[in-house]
Amino acid sequence: MQFPRRYPRLQDAEIAALLVATIAWGRRDMILRDAERMLRRLGPSPYEYLTRGDFTALRGGNVHRTFFEQNLRHYLRGLRGIYLRHESLNAFFALKGAEDAWDVAALLGEELLRANGSPDPQCIPLRFRQSALKRLNLALRWMVRRGSPVDLGLWDFLTPAQLHVPLDVHSAATARRLKLLSRMTNDRKAAEQLTATLRQLRPEDPASLDFALFGLDLE
């Protein structure tokens, strides 16, 4: 969350949140290091970097694990197409009527395909309808939840009540130990099942309980 919080401009924070969430897997120290390095490539304003088309200079360098500069270029080219037609990602998703991460993934996937001519599973999973979309749900939690000391609350096309829990290996394992989740595969159905359970406890903001699941150590 430290990365999108650096930017006072909405568009810069949107881009930073999506990109950092996209590489949010693996060891935390590596994620922080590589997010820092990635955003440094984009200069003081990711939005201006993107709209100028400077990403065309990105070649084959590594960004994070299996995510490379060509994947970053693919993502930025698609986002540029949105910003050329809409003031912000929030305005774009609101206009399209996105209701969850899977709608967001579909819309982003269409734009990436339109701009690049081919999909890139490093940006949006090819089978995104079946995926838990942990990283995209994480970005949505950051950008939608309001009144939080952690999340930014900059997007209003969704309400906190519509969010799904960002389901990673640790939070899923913790949820199973607590008998909150019975499904054994970490997929979309599991994310929906866990969120439905947590919605019974906190209907107005089920994703807020992600902090407890992520922080608990029941080993």
Side-chain angles (χ1 to χ4, degrees):
M1 277 312 304
Q2 64 178 285
F3 299 104
R5 281 187 174 277
R6 294 177 180 178
Y7 304 102
R9 180 191 286 181
L10 169 63
Q11 293 85 348
D12 288 326
E14 292 179 324
I15 295 165
L18 278 183
L19 294 181
V20 171
T22 298
I23 65 167
W25 86 96
R27 281 172 37 194
R28 188 178 307 182
D29 60 335
M30 290 180 61
I31 296 169
L32 295 175
R33 179 199 69 191
D34 293 344
E36 188 76 57
R37 185 171 59 183
M38 174 179 63
L39 292 178
R40 192 181 306 126
R41 284 182 174 95
L42 309 189
S45 171
Y47 175 70
E48 291 180 8
Y49 176 95
L50 179 151
T51 53
R52 288 195 306 264
D54 292 351
F55 54 82
T56 56
L58 295 170
R59 289 294 178 257
N62 182 253
V63 177
H64 177 71
R65 300 186 71 175
T66 59
F67 192 86
F68 289 84
E69 285 187 348
Q70 61 264 33
N71 307 118
L72 178 59
R73 184 176 67 239
H74 185 100
Y75 212 148
L76 291 173
R77 185 179 285 119
L79 291 178
R80 183 175 187 269
I82 297 175
Y83 282 113
L84 290 177
R85 306 191 313 274
H86 302 275
E87 181 182 2
S88 65
L89 295 180
N90 183 59
F92 169 69
F93 294 133
L95 180 67
K96 297 294 184 176
E99 296 184 353
D100 57 31
W102 295 275
D103 286 349
V104 169
L107 292 167
L108 287 175
E110 288 174 4
E111 293 298 326
L112 268 58
L113 184 61
R114 182 206 302 263
N116 294 283
S118 62
D120 184 342
Q122 293 292 342
C123 300
I124 302 294
L126 295 180
R127 293 172 58 84
F128 70 87
R129 288 293 183 193
Q130 289 75 46
S131 169
L133 291 180
K134 184 268 288 190
R135 287 170 280 173
L136 196 49
N137 273 308
L138 182 62
L140 287 174
R141 199 206 75 197
W142 292 346
M143 298 300 288
V144 171
R145 289 192 69 247
R146 296 181 282 276
S148 164
V150 178
D151 300 316
L152 282 82
L154 297 176
W155 283 349
D156 59 11
F157 72 91
L158 293 178
T159 68
Q162 292 174 279
L163 294 174
H164 284 74
V165 176
L167 189 71
D168 67 5
V169 173
H170 176 75
S171 61
T174 300
R176 291 185 184 103
R177 292 191 188 97
L178 294 172
K179 309 300 183 185
L180 300 172
L181 175 63
S182 60
R183 187 170 176 81
M184 299 308 295
T185 304
N186 292 342
D187 57 7
R188 176 176 180 170
K189 289 183 178 179
E192 291 179 332
Q193 182 188 104
L194 177 57
T195 300
T197 301
L198 298 181
R199 194 168 277 130
Q200 296 176 36
L201 302 173
R202 189 166 292 178
E204 77 287 355
D205 193 4
S208 64
L209 296 173
D210 174 51
F211 294 104
L213 292 174
F214 184 79
L216 279 173
D217 184 0
L218 300 181
E219 295 291 346

